[in-house]
Amino acid sequence: MKLPCITILATLLLTVPAAAQLQITPPATVPSPPAEKQKPKPPPAAKKKEAAPAPKPSASPKPAASPKPALPATVIPAPPSDTPGVDLVFGAYQRGQYKTAFDLATARAATGDPKAMTMLGELYSNAMGIRRDYAKAVEWYKRAADAGDREAMFALAMMRISGRGGPVDKGEAVKLMASAAKLGEPKAAYNLALLYLDSQTLPQDVKRSAELLRQAADAGLPEAQYALATFYKEGTGVPKDPERAVRLLQAASLADNVDAEVEYAIAMFNGTGTPKNQPAAVALLRKASRQGSAIAQNRLAWVLINGMGVPVDKIEGFKWHLVAKTSGKGDPDLDKQLSDLPAEDRAKAEAAAKKWLGTK
């Protein structure tokens, strides 16, 4: 069986909380073991890959052989416990009253409450209401992890991987992730799945990776749903199952995962693993295009220019082609068609693209 080639970069953004998660482009079936920051919004909920054009060929897109993903992170602080005092801590955190959250968490932590300890780790790690101090963040995360808090285990694992608050220790990070995943932490399961694809930190094991992705996907983590969909589409670590892949893409799309929106739109456009529904596919491509997906913008350009599933709209279509091109998603065929467009219409398309991009 062909194994995917995945590179996981362990470097984390300096300004993101330790409860962040790595991001990958889900693996392609290519043998060769490889050597947008948002303000935190609790509670938990869980951020390419190239796809073959939907309107041109009908084949489903396949990921690049050696993706080099960026590592934007999504902050998901630990959920509130049933302890009223801790609820007050999270209430202050949610309102952005970080100094109040710090004071309340400090008092709660003194009573031995692990959730309050985890919150202190978050605040110290991200300079919220207090000066950033990775060493203190690690100290509080460790105390909470030792007390059995799964969020703290995962956060501490990410600190160990990044070498913040101490030396890099991937061995300890793996143990912490495994413990957190066993306790049902979906972000830990997802990131551990990535490490089983890495073949650097752990031996490559696509079946174990698929199991962990399934655990995280079942818990509702959109990134895991998207990655697992690719596993089922390609037959990586699981039997190939296009229908199940589409169901997972649909679930991730409903959670606004842009990559999944593009894949799901292409599946609906081509009728791959789901009944063909071109109007719905085009609507989803529009949404993903507005969210900045260059792949979606390119596919939308094709369907609008050629009237596939929608009325022909060359000016709007070429607008999206030009917008996608600025993101590195060029298309020689569309360039040729643009050059053949009447000068007046070409000028309108260029003006529309500049307006969208905010340039003169």
Side-chain angles (χ1 to χ4, degrees):
M1 179 181 70
K2 294 182 178 180
L3 299 181
C5 174
I6 295 299
T7 300
I8 299 178
L9 304 178
T11 305
L12 301 178
L13 298 176
L14 292 178
T15 55
V16 298
Q21 59 188 347
L22 299 173
Q23 181 186 7
I24 61 163
T25 299
T29 53
V30 178
S32 171
E36 98 211 82
K37 163 186 165 185
Q38 297 180 340
K39 185 176 181 180
K41 294 182 181 179
K47 170 122 133 89
K48 241 161 181 45
K49 76 185 189 87
E50 179 59 9
K56 296 171 73 179
S58 61
S60 296
K62 291 188 178 181
S66 298
K68 295 182 179 179
L71 293 172
T74 301
V75 178
I76 308 178
S81 74
D82 295 329
T83 308
V86 175
D87 288 342
L88 292 176
V89 174
F90 276 87
Y93 181 91
Q94 290 171 331
R95 292 190 297 272
Q97 298 172 349
Y98 302 126
K99 182 61 169 64
T100 299
F102 178 82
D103 293 339
L104 292 172
T106 299
R108 292 296 306 172
T111 69
D113 191 288
K115 290 296 181 186
M117 296 174 189
T118 300
M119 175 57 75
L120 287 174
E122 286 287 318
L123 296 174
Y124 271 116
S125 178
N126 299 285
M128 294 175 171
I130 193 71
R131 184 184 296 275
R132 178 177 284 113
D133 189 326
Y134 289 130
K136 287 186 178 179
V138 165
E139 178 185 341
W140 283 113
Y141 281 141
K142 189 174 189 313
R143 289 179 62 179
D146 290 344
D149 186 76
R150 68 187 192 185
E151 284 281 344
M153 293 174 189
F154 173 64
L156 183 56
M158 299 302 285
M159 297 286 279
R160 294 307 190 206
I161 285 178
S162 66
R164 293 179 178 175
V168 172
D169 190 337
K170 292 185 178 181
E172 183 185 0
V174 167
K175 291 178 182 178
L176 287 164
M177 279 191 192
S179 296
K182 189 174 182 180
L183 291 174
E185 172 49 57
K187 298 184 299 297
Y190 173 70
N191 283 279
L192 192 58
L194 305 191
L195 294 178
Y196 273 112
L197 294 174
D198 178 37
S199 79
Q200 295 182 29
T201 305
L202 291 170
Q204 190 175 66
D205 187 338
V206 293
K207 289 187 177 180
R208 178 58 179 152
S209 180
E211 291 171 359
L212 289 162
L213 286 177
R214 187 180 298 111
Q215 176 184 331
D218 289 346
L221 194 67
E223 288 81 3
Q225 292 167 339
Y226 172 57
L228 186 59
T230 300
F231 274 47
Y232 277 110
K233 183 180 69 177
E234 302 292 344
T236 302
V238 293
K240 184 177 277 192
D241 189 337
E243 289 77 16
R244 188 163 187 177
V246 168
R247 289 197 298 271
L248 285 161
L249 289 173
Q250 181 184 37
S253 295
L254 291 173
D256 291 328
N257 183 285
V258 180
D259 295 322
E261 288 172 356
V262 177
E263 294 277 5
Y264 185 42
I266 291 172
M268 285 194 294
F269 193 95
N270 292 326
T272 304
T274 187
K276 182 178 290 190
N277 188 339
Q278 291 187 341
V282 174
L284 198 53
L285 284 176
R286 288 184 188 277
K287 179 183 177 185
S289 294
R290 291 192 294 268
Q291 290 171 302
S293 168
I295 296 174
Q297 291 161 358
N298 172 262
R299 296 341 181 236
L300 182 59
W302 269 99
V303 300
L304 290 173
I305 291 167
N306 296 286
M308 305 175 74
V310 290
V312 171
D313 189 339
K314 291 185 180 293
I315 293 175
E316 181 74 2
F318 282 115
K319 177 196 87 170
W320 286 118
H321 163 58
L322 293 169
V323 170
K325 192 173 181 179
T326 64
S327 298
K329 184 57 185 170
D331 192 315
D333 289 339
L334 291 182
D335 281 338
K336 173 71 166 59
Q337 292 187 49
L338 178 61
S339 67
D340 294 336
L341 201 64
E344 182 179 354
D345 289 343
R346 185 166 60 252
K348 288 180 181 179
E350 291 171 349
K354 290 179 180 179
K355 182 178 180 180
W356 175 265
L357 294 168
T359 58
K360 294 182 180 180

